[in-house]
Amino acid sequence: VTPPSKLYPRDRIRRAQDATAQAGLDALLLTPGADLRYLTGYDAVPLERLTCLVVPADGDPVLVVPLLERPAALASPVGSMDLEIAAWQETDDPVALVVDRLRTYGRGALPKRVGLANRMWAEQVLRFRDRLPDAELGLSSTVLRALRMRKTPAEVDALRSAGAAIDRVHERMGEFLRAGRSEAEIAKDIGQAILDEGHVRADFIIVASGPNSASPHHEVSERVVEVGDPVVVDIGGTTADGYCSDSTRTYAVGNAPQDFLDYFAVLLDAQARAVEAVRPGTSCDAVDATARELITAAGYGQWFVHRTGHGIGLETHEDPYIVAGNTEPLEPGMAFSVEPGIYIAGRHGARIEDIVVCTPDGVERLNTIARDLVVVDG
Ligand code: ZN
Ligand code: ZN
């Protein structure tokens, strides 16, 4: 387990402040979510009572918390940081508290440009807008995405552990996936295994059998798995240190149909080639194009209906997105999924997904188990 001080280094807020200044913003206001956790290690619970990390371009940051959340904040890595905590009492006005701080940073003037956490609740956004009527409100991601996209070695370690944990769940699939069991029953067992193998939370469980495998975001249903079904299993969770896993393998219960086997071979090759295309300087859309061109050349292009991948870290889906039109070049430390799929409407489908990280000279897969079709007993 990586110590919190390595995963959430104390100088990170300082770096965020510098980036805030460089972006021409006066401050960031971060309510509970991945940005707040990224800067402090504090996994704050989103509540109607305001918790907000105020990160000024210039000045000392402050964590505004409801008094009753103060012990939880202190029990997090915040407790060993040199960070002021301003606790508000039940009848105080926490928005006024934040605005007062902003005025202090501005030596009496209110800020002109503020970045709000991308996932801030609308009711809080509207309160800030009311109290900062002349400020231009933008998104924290304009400042933080560049930092969060480039994972530190400690973050890559955390993602590697999460990847190994979800790999262990896939390796146990023969225990859960059998003809005669419903998708829902299978998913219940998988959910327990996700926890048992090293996550604190199962974030999603897709068990898409037979015709359901042609729906990329099918979750589970009462459908009973039959002999001959292809089954797409896409699962992920969050580990105790906050980092996420996400991996898909496609299974066959007994002998799968020949037309399925034909395109599965194409998909397997396309996924491998797309992963091999990952290196510093290659654009995100070039990785997408590598998979897409192979699938299209084999005649299945119209059935590959989604982007090739998404970044992953403290959130399952974050920058960078591996999608046509994203010309951003890959850099060492960027971690994302490579997950092409082929979905023949009304019949069946397949997806293969690994999390990879761009390294100084190429790529490392964080999911390392075999990705061939896994045939389980009917
Ligand atoms: Zn997935
Ligand atoms: Zn994914």
Side-chain angles (χ1 to χ4, degrees), residues 1 29-30 58 60 86 89 95 99 115 119 136 155 174 186 213 226 232 249 272 287 289 291 305-306 337 340 349 368:
V1 175
L29 300 179
L30 305 179
D58 185 22
D60 291 329
Q89 312 238 13
V95 175
V99 171
R119 312 278 190 258
E136 181 192 325
E155 288 184 280
I186 295 162
S213 59
E226 297 170 13
V232 173
R249 290 293 180 265
V287 175
V305 294
H306 56 69
S337 68
T368 57

Side-chain angles (χ1 to χ4, degrees), residues 234 246 310 317 337 339 353:
D234 186 354
D246 181 6
H310 53 82
H317 287 190
S337 68
E339 51 175 309
E353 173 179 26

Side-chain angles (χ1 to χ4, degrees), residues 212-223:
N212 292 337
S213 59
S215 167
H217 274 179
H218 174 80
E219 291 196 356
V220 297
S221 72
E222 295 304 323
R223 184 181 184 277

